[in-house]
Amino acid sequence: MESFEKRMANLEYYQKMLIKMADAEKYPFYVSVMKAGLSAEEIEEIHRICRELEDMLAEQKEQGLLNYESLLTLFAGQLNYKLSVDDTIIHLHKQGLYEPLMCEFRNIIRK
């Protein structure tokens, strides 16, 4: 079982996210990570992964590449096992996070 301090830190982090939420329909990513019970560190790791992949996407677009399935594979391979890849992409997109990256991923998973 997690330590009391660790659990309190997670609750404090979730509380900060909840304060930002005016409407749960607008923040499906936050809701999904809370339901999955991810820690603050695990959530920040998702953000780090997305920032890195967004940078890679920009580089690939500059090089004229049109297929971004390798980035989706990297995302899926690094995403926390407690989350669904497809649902996470949809939730991040709906929440307006990492839009260029999530738009490309949504186009790929729709195929």
Side-chain angles (χ1 to χ4, degrees), residues 43-101:
I43 296 166
E44 289 306 316
E45 178 66 9
I46 294 168
H47 288 296
R48 182 196 63 75
I49 292 164
C50 289
R51 285 190 303 271
E52 286 179 8
L53 292 174
E54 214 168 44
D55 290 344
M56 292 172 71
L57 174 66
E59 288 174 20
Q60 289 185 8
K61 284 188 174 192
E62 277 183 26
Q63 296 171 358
L65 298 175
L66 300 174
N67 185 324
Y68 309 110
E69 290 181 15
S70 63
L71 296 179
L72 177 56
T73 301
L74 287 172
F75 178 75
Q78 296 179 67
L79 186 64
N80 189 291
Y81 71 93
K82 297 175 189 174
L83 297 174
S84 156
V85 173
D86 289 359
D87 288 345
T88 301
I89 290 167
I90 292 165
H91 294 158
L92 285 165
H93 184 264
K94 185 173 182 181
Q95 195 165 318
L97 299 170
Y98 313 104
E99 287 187 77
L101 183 66

